[in-house]
Each structure stands twice: as C-alpha cells, then as structure tokens.
Amino acid sequence: MKTRIKELVVRRLKLKDTWVICFALGLVMMNYPFISIFNKPISPFGIPLLYLYLLIGWFCSIFVVFLFSRAAARKESEGRGHP
Amino acid sequence: MLDANWVWGTALLYIAILFLVAYYAEQRRKAGRSITAKPSVYALSIAVYATSWTFYGSVGKAATTGIDFLPIYLGPTLTAFTWWFLLKKIVRISKENNITSIADFISSRYGSSQWLGAIITVITLMGIMPYIALQLRAVSTSFTIITGYHDFHIGFMDRVYIPSPHPGLFTAILLAVFSVVFGARHLVSAERHDGLVAAIAVESVVKLIAMLIVGIFITYSLFDGMGDIFRQMHEADPELLTRLTTLGDSGDNSYASMFSLLILSMGAVMLLPRQFQVMVLENAHESHLNPASWRFPAYMFLMNLFVMPIALAGLILTRSNAGADYFVLTLPLQHGHPWLALVAFLGGFSASAGMVMVESIAVSTMLLNHVLMPIVVKVTPRQWFPVLLINLKRLGIVLVILLGYLYQSVVNESYMLANMGLISFAAAVQFAPALIGGLYWPRGNKAGAIAGLLLGFAVWFYTLLFPSLVQAGGWQSEILRNGLFGMELLKPQALFGLTGLDRYTHALFWSMFLNIIAYLSLSILLGQGEKESEQVQRFVRIFAPETPVSQWETKRLSKPVTIMQFVNLMSKFIGEQPAHAAITDYLGDREIDSQGGVSEFELPNLKRFVEKTLAASLGGAAAGAVVESFLSDIGSRMESVYDIFSTVRTSRDQSREALFVRLRASEIMNRSLELDIIMGDLLELILKEFKFDLCVIRLLNDQAVLQVRSCKGVGGERITSEDRMLEIDTHVGEAFLGRRTEFFNDTSFITKPIAKEIFQREGIKSFAHIPIASEGAPPVGVLSVFSRSIIGLFTEQFVELLESLAGQLAQAVRIVEEREARERERRQKEAALLENARVTRDLELAKQIQLSLLPESAPRLPGISIASRCVPATHVGGDYYDFFQRGNSQLDIIMADVSGHSVGAALIMVETRSVLRAQMQSPRPAREVLGVLNQLLYDDLTGAELFITMFCARYDCATRTLAYANAGHTRPLLFRGGGWQELDAEGLILGVEQRVEFEEKSVALEPGDLLFIYTDGIIEAENKEEELFGVSRLCALLSTLQDQEPEAVVERVLAEVNAYASPSSLQDDISMVVMKVLPSGTNCGAC
C-alpha cells in the first residue's frame, strides 16, 4: 500500500504539469489575498505569524523541489535503462 | 577596531587561497578531471546570487522596512520549480549554439540581430551600474567600519604620499585586477571557466559560514535564542515589531511590494548577466540542474535564517536602525569580538568579490561581442586580432567596474544597499518578455523584442534610475516634483497619475506593461525575417525530435569555399591552433574531395559550424556578420535553391513527384526490351518532369568511348553530337571514372576550359552528369542533364533521385547487354561447329584422295610376295610408298616419310609422288633417283621447312639382288634364317643440302628372306609408360613371323603396335612394305 502510494506520487512528480502547478500555487500562496490570512500581529511560539508562515512555507517548498528532483533523476536513470 | 594591516593581510591571504583553488581547478580541468563539474559545485556557484546585498543589505532592509527582504529569496525558490523545463531548455539551446551571454542568447533567437544585442548590452551596462556600486560600497564601508580607514589601506601608505581618492577606488581597482586575472584568461566565452567557478564556490561556502557564525553568535551568545529576540523586541517596541513583521496596505512592505519583489527576484535570478553566466554557461551537465534546484534554495534559506534575528538584535541593542546595513559587522565589534567581525568582513568581501568578478566578466563579454565587435568586424582581420580581442575584453571588465565606482561616487551614503540592488533587478527583468516569449512563442519577432526592450528600458530609466541619481545627488529637480515639461502626468514616480505604489512596483508595472504590450503587438503585426524563422526552429523546438527539415537544406553557397579558407578565417579571430583543432574535430570522417573542399551539400553545415565556433568567442551576431562579410569578399553568398519538389513532402526522400517519377521510370523499363526505346522514353520523362532543356545518355562502347546513344531536348549540337573519351579533363569522363555524380549548380564557376566554352555558347546554367551504374558495379555510361534557366537546381535529394533513375537504367542496360551477349555466344558456337564439320569432311576427303594415291595393291612378281599398308595418324599424313614395276623381273620400291603429318606434309608427299613418277619413267639406279629428287625438291622443302626421309630400292628377280640407297630413312630390316640385319647406306635427308651424293649398296637375297621396310611410326609408338616400341621388340616380333605370308605379317605388326599403344591412338603415321622371297624353284619359272 505504502509503496503503491509512493509510486503514484513519483509518477505524478515526473510530469511537467505538476511542476507548473506547484509554481503557480506557490505564487498564489505568497501573494494577496492568500497571504492576508497570515498577515496578523500575533506571535505563536513567540514568533510573528507571517514570518513563521513564510519560513515554514519556504522550507516546505524546498522539500517539494527536493522530491521533484529525486523523481526526475529517477526518470532519467530509468530512461537510460530502457531507451 | 582592527589594525588595517591585519585586515589587509587577511584579505590578501584569502585572495591567495582563492587563486590557488582556481589554479588547482584549471589544472584538474586540463587533466580532464574537472572538480567543478559537480552538482554541488554548480549549486554553490549559483549562490553568487547572494551578494553583499544579501550579506549586509538584507539585515538593513529587515531592520528598516521589515519582512519584505524575504521575497528577494522566495522568488528564486519559486523559479526552481521551473528550472527543470525552462532552465534546461535555455542550457540546451546555449550549448547547441555556443551562446556567450544573455545578450547573445536573446539576439540569437531574433535572427542574430546586432542591434538587439547592442541594446541589451547597453541596458545591462546601465542597469548593472548600481549593483556593482553596491558591492564596492559594501566593501569599502565594511573596511572603514572595522579599521577606521576610508578605503583599503596599507601601513606604508602613511609613509609615501598618495593623494587620498574618493572612498572605494582602491577597492574597485583591487576587484578589477582580480576579475581580469580570473575571467579573461582566454577569449572563448562559451567554454566553462573552471578556475572562476571553483573560486566562486569557495566564496559561497565562506560567506555562508561567516553569516551562520555571526548569526549564531548574536542569537545564542548575545541573546537566548530567536524566541528571546522576538520577546525582547516585543517588550521594547511592540509597534515596530508589528510593522516589521506584517505587510502594510501601501508603500514599502505592502502586498503590492511583496508581489513586485517576488517578480523582480524571479526575473533577476534567471536574467542577471552573472546568473546567466553561472547557471547556463558554466553548467557542465544538464543533470546538474536537478539537485541544484533544491540545493540553491536551501542555501538561500540558511543564508537568511538569521537575518531577522540579527536585524532585531541590532535594533534592540543600538535602539536605532541607522547603519542597520552593517549590523553584521558592528554588533560583534561593539561586543568586543573583532575577530568575529573580521570573519564577517571576509564573508562580505567574498559576497562582493564573487559578484563583481562574474558580473564584470559577463558584461564585458557582452560589450566585446555586441558593441565593439560590430565595429571590429568591419576591419579586415589581421594576425594580431586574437591578442587585440582578449585585451579589449580585459578593458571591458575594468570599464564595467569603473562605471560602478562612478555611480557609487555620485550616489551618497543615504541610499541603502538593498535599494541600489533593486534598481538593477528592475532593469534585468526587462529581458523577461523577449526571453520567455522567444523560448515558447514562435511568433515573437525582432521588432517586438527591440521595441519592448527600448520602451521598458526608457520607463525604467525615467522612473527608477534617474530619480535615484537625482535624489542621491542631493539635487532638487523640477522634473521630479512637477513632471517633465511641468506635466503632472509625466511625474517620474507617479507616471500617468498612478500613485499609492512603492517606486519599484510603480516602475515594474509601467515598464513591464509597455514592454509586454509592445512585444506582443509588434510580433503579431509584423512578420519574421528569413534568418529569424530559422532561429525559431533552433530555439522554440530545441527538444523536438530531429526533423527532416535539416535534411532538406534549401540553401546553397553560390561559390564553393574550401576548408582552408574557412580555417584561415577562424585563425584570424581565435588563433591558429584552436581553429585547426576545431576543424579537425568537425571533419572527423567526413568526405573531402580532391580540391580540399567538402561536398556542396555539406557546405552550408560547414558554414554554420564556422559561425558557431566563432560565436563561442565573438557572440552569435558578430560571428554571423564575420562569415557573411568573408563570403561576400570572395564573391559567394547563401542563396535559395530552386525547389523542384513543390508539394508537401511525405517523408525524407519521397516527395510525391519523386515517387511518381520513380514509378513511371519502372514502367518504362518493364514495357520494352529495346534499349533505344527505354532510353528515349526515360529522357522524355526526365525532360518533362524536371524542366530540363537537354538530356543525353552516353554509353560505353567497345572502343572505350562514351558514345551518345540517346538525346532529347533542344539545341546543344556539340553536346549531343560528340562522343567523349574516357578522360579526366571532361566532366563526363570525370563522372564516369570517379563513379560519382558531377554537377555544377552554377556553370560560371566551372574551371575546365572546354566545358566552359561549350556551356557559355549553349547558355547552360547548371548541369549534372550521373554515372549509369547499378550498385557496386562499374558504370556503363553517363546520364547528362542540362538546364539553361535555373541556377542551383541540384539539391542533395534531387541528385539522389537522378542517381536512382540512372541506377534503374543501368539495370535495363545490363539486362539488354546480357541478352545480346548470350545470343552472340550461341551464334559463334554454331558457326564454329559448322566450320569444324566442314574441315573434318574436307580432311576425310583428302585422306581418301591421299590413300588412293598409294598403290592400290602390291605388284605381283615371280619369286616374291609383297604386302603393304599405310595408316595415317590423322586425316592426312606424310607417309608414302610406291612400286614401279619394270617388266617382269625388276621392281623399284620407294618408302618415304615427310616430316610432320599435317596437310603441308600431305601436299609435299603429293608433290614428291608426282616428281618421283615423272623421274621413274626411265629406269635409274636408286642413288640417282634420290639425288635427282633431292635437287628437284630442295627449294620446295626448304620453303615449307619440311624434310623427307626416303628409302629407294631396286629388286631384280632374276639375280635376286636388291640394290638400294637411303636418304636418312629408318633402316629396313632383312630377316634371314634365325637372324636379321639392317640395310644401311650413307645418305643425307632430302631437302637439307642442294647436292648430296648417295651411297648405293646391294644385297643378294635368298629364298625365305623377309624384307621389312617401314616408317618410324612403328618403332616410335609409345605405351602409357611412354616407352618406345623399339627396333628390338619389332625384330623379336618379326622373327616369329618369318614363315608367315606378308599380308599376315602386316596385319600382325599393326595389331601388336596398336595393342602396345592402347588405349591411346597412334601418334604418327604408320607405313610398311613386307617383301618375302619365295623359295627358289617354286616360282622362278614364272619369272
């Protein structure tokens, strides 16, 4: 089950479309009006909410790109294996 | 404060280490084991994005406007999502086209336009000025902060008098030297700079570590972690904290500025010249893009992790945001950690130096290729050009840095680092429409790109750069306050009445709006040039599978250019050795013809290769111009070929017409067996389908001459009437002997004098001679086609089609020839058989005649019994015997053998017989007979080169004596009682000498004697062991037969000899006369 989900995710990550969608999604999530949700003068864990949101969001997007590059590298090696 | 010498010394040491690293990387590259061709090094080199603006300026921005320092780094992270397809495409195109810079990239896409390249270069130069200034400012200010001196300062400067210049000059000079040494080692800009990249990577590591060390020190040594800083800030100034950590409604740090900063940074990370340099040109392998797309954002993340804490800490500790740009330096200094400040200084210096190096090199390359080169290529190339060019490039680097220095001299200290950088970002982002459109929109054209760039640049200059210069200079300007010509609508910072935006958003909006509108509208309204559409294929469809388009190259060089001419051209720009290396690499296993050129179809590819090679050093536009002007100098140019196949091509080599012609040709070949009809119909077909004026077929005849066998079309008497010898100095002969198609697309470049004269008279513009040959076989003739109207008729595909038609014809010719050859052979065989039969019949006749010339039967004489026989080995022979009876008592016996047993021998034998018969009319002694015969026959015998051996004897019945003479004949055998003897007499063979004396002997015979006269055929008969029959064997045989009748003796001897020679037949004629003397008394009475 776990491997099946992983396979599915990897296959989707290989698509150029997924990259573009993630790019657009990131752009939306960093702009008005979406960002106004976090644009409040409160500090959970003592850290301002917007700052925290951007840092966590940043970290997450780096992780997603990491997954992308793993999947793409996999595609390449598979591509070499089965020309 | 630190001692200036210490700081200076440390910086010097650091630079020395960088040089060592760079040197080591270069050495490794030369050894073929590059250390920089790794994903990690690639990601670190992209981090050249983080300049001293990041290192110092981010903190400054965080402390003054707040959280909007972050989008500058969030933007690049977002673009990382597009790297896998966008950057990959750019990298692929750049590598395929030897792109040298972003100006080169964009101008190449729009038809290698020199104007576009120059415009982009100017925009870059202006746009990058504030950015370079920022770096110089950062270095000199940081030096000032930690040493107290205004600029780089060494101890001995106090002792010698050096006029104190404006701060930052020494910094500028230092960085310029640094960049020249690293970046302009060789002219080729499209190659990777291993040393540079290694130094950049090390600098990236240093600045990250420095930032982290300072961040950790401030956060965990001066404070109790990040939470503590935020808490203390909240306690000290909650309002300020809220302002800094939230977005406002308008102005700086608003939603709008967040958006525009994201867009600016996204554009900058791809479009700034230095980013293009490291990401595209210094990319070693496309696969490195993948890991870099998360490592670079991760690097940015770490770099910015402590920016906010440091900014807030500075605010808490200094209670002011004045000098916030340098909190990274000042906080450790203030808290008694000068060495930490030195580390931070090195980090900042790394950030500045890396940026200045790469940026100045990239911009200087653009300057050289797009501003200087168009002027340089107008001058005739000289041998010292490579030296000049590399020095121009070095000069460019210095110039770029000096411009930055000028800007920072003008702009006063009040301008923050981040603000200076953003001006540059806004300039770089102007390239985005032309670049992205150029990559994905096939319609995008040069006019649109130029107009968009110019408009965008103008707006940027008017709304951003100009105000920055005016404000920073401290001048008050009417324009700034009241707008151009006093028009409110033209106020630089509220253009067309647009207010409420920060200046970057304002400038970004207007510049991009006009830029994109101009680009789109002009692209739609106007078309593309020919060269542009060609480049669209190479850019937009770079990932499309190899289309057959390149196979159908529809261009040709009007005058052929040799390889050496191209090499000489390249040598003048890139030096002799690289030129030769490049051409050797290119030629590989390509075919080179006798004149040292490549085939005409290969020439456009060679030209493109030369352009590409030059482009690696001069940029695409200049390279194109160089090659173009070179071609026009030697009187050649690219021109379109006449397109014989007008319909859409279904596949690589089968256009509809070609298919039709092939089919028709097959029909013609199958319809008839008559070669003349086939050739006539085929020529008719070719003439009609391809609009030739004249077609001729020549076939090789038996005299090795190419004979005109068929021709169609008008005129050309000399061409159609003359046969051609197989000589290399005619084009026909060359095609035939060389076994390859000879064609000229333009007869004005023909060199063979006879052909030139003929074609001029006939007005023939282009022609082709195609050898008629089937696969692997030698040609049988030549098919020639001529056109009077069309230059450049023969494309590779057309020649292939004609060759395949000639191949079909060769098959037909071969079939007809084979059939004729078989027919001829059959007839020859029949004739030979007939002839043979006739000769055999004649010889048989001759044999009969010859045998009839011999005595029919032996004479009957009293006292003797005679038997004789002649067996010729072939039809006719040279043996002869005769009897002349004189009354009842005397008998002359002749036995002769003409040498050989040919027809000649038979004729001589006949002559001998005639002469002998004439001479024997009167009785003569034997020796006289031989003497006379010799005299009479001598001339004929020497003439015929034949001899005769002859035995002549006269037997007298009354006296029983045998008188005889011998002319070299085999000695007859006489058997008497149990023994035998040879009858010998001196005498030479007839026909050797004119006069010969013959000896005459006589022997008295007794009853019962057996005389055996014979020719040598008997004793020379061979058995299969090649042993002769021999006299002794004959004698032994005859001894047993002494009692037998002569006829029986003859039969028996013949049988024995035949048996001996069996199974082969007798080699020589056999003749024998057997005479037996009967016992006395019995017959004597009859005598």
Side-chain angles (χ1 to χ4, degrees):
Chain A
M1 184 68 186
K2 203 172 146 196
T3 49
R4 263 180 60 202
I5 291 172
K6 195 177 157 194
E7 278 301 306
L8 197 75
V9 170
V10 165
R11 210 176 302 141
R12 291 292 168 271
L13 285 177
K14 282 176 196 169
L15 293 173
K16 184 170 142 187
D17 313 45
T18 323
W19 291 72
V20 178
I21 290 167
C22 285
F23 171 72
L25 199 66
L27 206 57
V28 168
M29 287 169 71
M30 266 186 259
N31 277 294
Y32 185 82
F34 193 88
I35 203 167
S36 64
I37 301 169
F38 304 94
N39 193 19
K40 286 171 187 141
I42 47 171
S43 300
F45 319 112
I47 294 171
L49 180 63
L50 185 61
Y51 184 63
L52 192 66
Y53 163 70
L54 287 178
L55 278 192
I56 290 173
W58 194 358
F59 183 82
C60 289
S61 65
I62 291 170
F63 185 69
V64 172
V65 180
F66 171 70
L67 289 182
F68 269 131
S69 78
R70 285 273 304 263
R74 196 158 142 165
K75 178 161 101 181
E76 258 185 17
S77 58
E78 271 170 22
R80 275 196 291 271
H82 310 280
Chain B
M1 291 286 170
L2 279 161
D3 182 41
N5 284 336
W6 268 110
V7 178
W8 172 245
T10 314
L12 202 66
L13 188 70
Y14 177 57
I15 290 172
I17 291 170
L18 285 183
F19 269 120
L20 279 180
V21 168
Y23 178 76
Y24 176 65
E26 285 286 339
Q27 292 308 312
R28 285 287 295 256
R29 181 186 65 83
K30 277 181 196 151
R33 294 172 297 142
S34 174
I35 48 165
T36 62
K38 290 184 179 130
S40 49
V41 176
Y42 179 61
L44 283 174
S45 69
I46 298 177
V48 75
Y49 181 74
T51 63
S52 55
W53 168 9
T54 312
F55 200 83
Y56 300 123
S58 285
V59 176
K61 195 162 179 65
T64 45
T65 60
I67 204 162
D68 69 345
F69 79 93
L70 265 184
I72 302 293
Y73 309 97
L74 290 173
T77 305
L78 268 184
T79 55
F81 283 98
T82 66
W83 282 8
W84 183 232
F85 52 93
L86 181 68
L87 187 56
K88 189 170 151 193
K89 191 168 186 178
I90 298 177
V91 168
R92 176 76 63 87
I93 292 168
S94 300
K95 291 208 188 309
E96 303 249 313
N97 294 278
N98 276 358
I99 296 294
T100 57
S101 65
I102 185 160
D104 194 15
F105 188 89
I106 295 176
S107 68
S108 289
R109 158 62 177 81
Y110 298 101
S112 298
S113 158
Q114 295 205 354
W115 275 111
L116 196 53
I119 290 170
I120 295 171
T121 305
V122 171
I123 295 177
T124 308
L125 201 59
M126 303 279 282
I128 224 65
M129 225 160 50
Y131 211 171
I132 303 252
L134 183 164
Q135 313 302 326
L136 300 179
R137 162 79 52 84
V139 174
S140 58
T141 309
S142 60
F143 191 81
T144 309
I145 287 171
I146 61 169
T147 64
Y149 287 99
H150 271 311
D151 200 352
F152 265 124
H153 188 96
I154 322 169
F156 83 90
M157 280 181 168
D158 296 332
R159 294 191 291 277
V160 292
Y161 174 73
I162 291 179
S164 178
H166 196 278
L169 182 63
F170 287 134
T171 312
I173 292 171
L174 183 73
L175 289 181
V177 171
F178 205 56
S179 310
V180 166
V181 173
F182 270 110
R185 292 166 65 89
H186 35 75
L187 188 60
V188 183
S189 316
E191 265 179 21
R192 298 184 61 245
H193 304 75
D194 273 56
L196 179 72
V197 171
I200 299 293
V202 169
E203 284 176 337
S204 289
V205 173
V206 168
K207 68 193 176 200
L208 179 64
I209 289 174
M211 188 71 176
L212 288 176
I213 288 176
V214 174
I216 290 168
F217 164 76
I218 291 171
T219 314
Y220 294 99
S221 171
L222 301 185
F223 292 88
D224 199 10
M226 283 197 207
D228 184 41
I229 294 178
F230 282 111
R231 193 178 44 75
Q232 285 198 31
M233 187 69 203
H234 186 68
E235 284 165 7
D237 194 344
E239 262 178 54
L240 182 61
L241 180 67
T242 306
R243 185 176 68 76
L244 293 180
T245 55
T246 54
L247 295 169
D249 290 329
S250 64
D252 290 341
N253 208 20
S254 64
Y255 292 128
S257 75
M258 175 88 182
F259 175 77
S260 50
L261 288 183
L262 266 177
I263 297 297
L264 283 176
S265 63
M266 278 163 58
V269 78
M270 306 290 285
L271 301 169
L272 280 171
R274 71 166 190 283
Q275 291 305 121
F276 194 87
Q277 178 84 29
V278 292
M279 284 162 77
V280 179
L281 306 181
E282 307 292 351
N283 171 278
H285 196 274
E286 276 176 20
S287 66
H288 296 175
L289 293 177
N290 254 325
S293 63
W294 69 267
R295 285 178 196 180
F296 168 63
Y299 180 96
M300 287 288 130
F301 183 80
L302 290 177
M303 195 78 184
N304 282 283
L305 200 57
F306 291 104
V307 166
M308 200 64 171
I310 293 172
L312 294 182
L315 287 175
I316 296 164
L317 294 173
T318 61
R319 309 219 167 270
S320 150
N321 64 8
D325 273 347
Y326 299 99
F327 277 164
V328 179
L329 281 176
T330 50
L331 292 183
L333 269 181
Q334 282 168 6
H335 290 85
H337 297 279
W339 297 108
L340 205 57
L342 188 60
V343 169
F345 170 75
L346 276 186
F349 178 73
S350 294
S352 300
M355 181 276 180
V356 172
M357 278 196 297
V358 186
E359 199 84 79
S360 62
I361 290 162
V363 177
S364 146
T365 303
M366 288 161 69
L367 254 181
L368 178 68
N369 291 350
H370 299 285
V371 177
L372 296 176
M373 205 56 86
I375 302 161
V376 171
V377 295
K378 295 265 189 301
V379 187
T380 320
R382 298 284 154 87
Q383 226 47 55
W384 38 262
F385 254 40
V387 182
L388 171 76
L389 294 177
I390 185 83
N391 282 318
L392 280 176
K393 189 170 171 181
R394 288 174 180 144
L395 203 67
I397 292 175
V398 176
L399 181 77
V400 169
I401 296 174
L402 281 183
L403 274 177
Y405 167 73
L406 272 181
Y407 185 89
Q408 74 113 27
S409 307
V410 172
V411 175
N412 67 18
E413 302 271 343
S414 73
Y415 239 69
M416 288 189 60
L417 294 180
N419 295 343
M420 291 160 84
L422 280 173
I423 296 174
S424 293
F425 276 25
V429 87
Q430 302 304 324
F431 305 144
L435 183 99
I436 307 290
L439 281 174
Y440 291 102
W441 191 39
R443 276 199 75 90
N445 68 9
K446 184 167 76 181
I450 290 182
L453 277 169
L454 283 178
L455 267 177
F457 173 65
V459 172
W460 168 82
F461 183 85
Y462 188 63
T463 59
L464 264 186
L465 189 72
F466 172 67
S468 85
L469 285 170
V470 170
Q471 284 177 334
W475 307 308
Q476 287 304 310
S477 167
E478 276 301 303
I479 297 175
L480 224 52
R481 247 180 295 127
N482 299 327
L484 197 61
F485 314 123
M487 286 164 75
E488 276 287 308
L489 283 182
L490 293 181
K491 263 171 76 174
Q493 292 180 326
L495 203 60
F496 307 121
L498 185 70
T499 51
L501 294 172
D502 66 294
R503 56 192 145 162
Y504 303 109
T505 313
H506 172 261
L508 179 72
F509 172 76
W510 278 122
S511 62
M512 288 314 279
F513 177 74
L514 294 174
N515 185 338
I516 292 172
I517 290 289
Y519 176 67
L520 294 182
S521 53
L522 283 186
S523 290
I524 287 169
L525 286 175
L526 302 175
Q528 282 172 333
E530 203 176 333
K531 195 137 191 248
E532 270 189 270
S533 3
E534 219 173 88
Q535 292 297 85
V536 170
Q537 295 294 333
R538 301 209 174 96
F539 277 64
V540 179
R541 306 205 171 89
I542 183 90
F543 287 125
E546 195 66 34
T547 51
V549 174
S550 58
Q551 298 286 344
W552 291 88
E553 184 71 64
T554 49
K555 292 277 188 167
R556 58 179 285 268
L557 279 168
S558 62
K559 184 180 180 185
V561 183
T562 65
I563 294 172
M564 266 332 279
Q565 285 173 306
F566 273 135
V567 172
N568 287 340
L569 174 72
M570 288 200 289
S571 307
K572 279 172 187 150
F573 286 95
I574 62 175
E576 208 159 306
Q577 223 177 345
H580 281 282
I583 205 78
T584 313
D585 207 31
Y586 171 77
L587 286 176
D589 52 355
R590 281 183 173 82
E591 207 174 306
I592 301 172
D593 68 17
S594 48
Q595 285 98 36
V598 291
S599 92
E600 191 177 323
F601 308 128
E602 188 59 35
L603 264 182
N605 292 340
L606 178 62
K607 173 188 165 262
R608 167 134 181 82
F609 170 78
V610 171
E611 274 181 2
K612 206 175 126 180
T613 310
L614 286 177
S617 297
L618 315 182
V626 165
V627 173
E628 218 57 51
S629 85
F630 162 73
L631 286 180
S632 77
D633 279 354
I634 63 165
S636 186
R637 71 199 146 85
M638 292 298 281
E639 61 180 24
S640 296
V641 296
Y642 182 84
D643 198 0
I644 205 88
F645 309 111
S646 48
T647 59
V648 177
R649 288 156 189 123
T650 49
S651 72
R652 186 194 167 289
D653 58 350
Q654 298 282 9
S655 78
R656 203 180 302 163
E657 279 92 342
L659 209 58
F660 169 75
V661 170
R662 277 170 206 250
L663 253 160
R664 282 292 312 276
S666 299
E667 269 174 36
I668 289 169
M669 311 278 172
N670 292 333
R671 200 163 50 205
S672 171
L673 283 174
E674 282 299 313
L675 199 54
D676 287 331
I677 296 176
I678 293 177
M679 290 192 295
D681 287 357
L682 187 70
L683 288 188
E684 195 75 46
L685 173 77
I686 293 176
L687 200 67
K688 212 171 70 197
E689 287 299 324
F690 300 130
K691 305 175 183 68
F692 284 119
D693 294 298
L694 187 62
C695 302
V696 180
I697 290 178
R698 288 190 174 84
L699 293 184
L700 193 68
N701 67 9
D702 299 336
Q703 285 83 48
V705 170
L706 285 167
Q707 188 182 13
V708 176
R709 286 288 295 270
S710 184
C711 64
K712 286 271 151 68
V714 257
E717 279 71 29
R718 268 197 73 181
I719 296 170
T720 54
S721 61
E722 287 181 1
D723 298 335
R724 293 268 181 269
M725 306 296 281
L726 283 185
E727 288 162 347
I728 204 80
D729 47 340
T730 63
H731 287 288
V732 177
E734 197 166 337
F736 187 89
L737 295 173
R739 293 188 188 186
R740 70 171 174 199
T741 304
E742 274 279 305
F743 65 93
F744 263 80
N745 265 326
D746 191 345
T747 51
S748 43
F749 297 115
I750 230 169
T751 48
K752 297 191 177 181
I754 307 168
K756 198 178 179 86
E757 187 240 310
I758 294 176
F759 290 139
Q760 259 169 12
R761 184 135 45 79
E762 296 286 344
I764 281 164
K765 294 282 195 320
S766 57
F767 71 91
H769 296 305
I770 306 107
I772 301 172
S774 27
E775 200 75 31
V780 294
V782 175
L783 164 69
S784 311
V785 288
F786 305 87
S787 170
R788 286 200 179 84
S789 48
I790 306 162
I791 290 178
L793 181 61
F794 299 101
T795 60
E796 191 168 10
Q797 291 69 38
F798 187 34
V799 169
E800 269 175 23
L801 174 63
L802 288 174
E803 278 169 355
S804 97
L805 290 181
Q808 276 181 294
L809 181 60
Q811 292 283 350
V813 171
R814 199 173 52 82
I815 289 168
V816 170
E817 273 183 352
E818 272 176 9
R819 207 185 56 226
E820 280 175 357
R822 268 203 306 276
E823 188 74 7
R824 208 165 36 237
E825 200 181 338
R826 193 178 58 79
R827 258 190 256 121
Q828 271 172 359
K829 234 182 239 166
E830 268 175 17
L833 274 175
L834 229 63
E835 177 67 18
N836 209 7
R838 198 176 59 75
V839 169
T840 313
R841 204 179 60 233
D842 283 358
L843 282 176
E844 192 59 37
L845 210 65
K847 181 182 177 183
Q848 294 306 321
I849 292 169
Q850 199 184 17
L851 285 177
S852 72
L853 293 180
L854 294 175
E856 230 169 88
S857 59
R860 294 182 158 276
L861 258 89
I864 51 170
S865 155
I866 295 178
S868 63
R869 184 70 59 84
C870 176
V871 182
T874 49
H875 295 290
V876 288
D879 282 11
Y880 168 61
Y881 64 88
D882 213 344
F883 305 105
F884 298 96
Q885 199 172 348
R886 308 202 182 277
N888 254 344
S889 63
Q890 281 190 336
L891 177 71
D892 286 337
I893 307 172
I894 305 288
M895 171 65 80
D897 183 0
V898 184
S899 59
H901 29 86
S902 58
V903 175
L907 287 174
I908 291 294
M909 175 235 150
V910 174
E911 188 192 6
T912 310
R913 178 176 177 273
S914 312
V915 173
L916 191 68
R917 291 229 157 186
Q919 292 305 316
M920 281 302 186
Q921 293 299 322
S922 52
R924 293 168 190 268
R927 50 179 279 269
E928 209 181 307
V929 171
L930 290 181
V932 170
L933 271 181
N934 185 43
Q935 270 182 35
L936 292 173
L937 293 173
Y938 175 78
D939 289 336
D940 290 346
L941 285 172
T942 41
E945 292 187 346
L946 290 169
F947 312 102
I948 303 176
T949 64
M950 188 179 281
F951 179 78
C952 184
R954 166 167 295 183
Y955 180 67
D956 195 330
C957 280
T959 57
R960 283 192 184 137
T961 47
L962 183 77
Y964 62 93
N966 193 351
H969 195 75
T970 319
R971 289 188 288 270
L973 299 168
L974 177 62
F975 291 85
R976 179 176 296 163
W980 57 274
Q981 69 175 93
E982 288 184 330
L983 300 184
D984 191 16
E986 285 288 318
L988 206 58
I989 301 171
L990 305 186
V992 177
E993 274 185 30
Q994 184 96 39
R995 292 195 159 273
V996 184
E997 282 299 317
F998 292 96
E999 183 190 14
E1000 183 162 327
K1001 280 191 174 174
S1002 64
V1003 60
L1005 298 183
E1006 291 170 9
D1009 282 1
L1010 181 82
L1011 182 64
F1012 190 74
I1013 310 169
Y1014 63 103
T1015 54
D1016 51 8
I1018 293 175
I1019 51 173
E1020 283 170 10
E1022 285 177 1
N1023 65 2
K1024 55 179 181 269
E1025 281 86 33
E1026 296 189 4
E1027 289 169 13
L1028 296 182
F1029 191 74
V1031 176
S1032 49
R1033 201 186 303 270
L1034 177 66
C1035 289
L1037 172 68
L1038 287 175
S1039 302
T1040 59
L1041 300 174
Q1042 214 172 331
D1043 303 333
Q1044 307 273 328
E1045 283 299 307
E1047 193 62 36
V1049 172
V1050 166
E1051 288 295 338
R1052 186 68 197 279
V1053 168
L1054 207 57
E1056 283 293 324
V1057 172
N1058 267 329
Y1060 184 77
S1062 166
S1064 56
S1065 58
L1066 292 171
Q1067 301 297 310
D1068 204 351
D1069 311 336
I1070 289 177
S1071 300
M1072 53 189 144
V1073 172
V1074 179
M1075 185 177 94
K1076 193 165 185 187
V1077 183
L1078 299 172
S1080 55
T1082 43
N1083 280 329
C1084 206
C1087 280

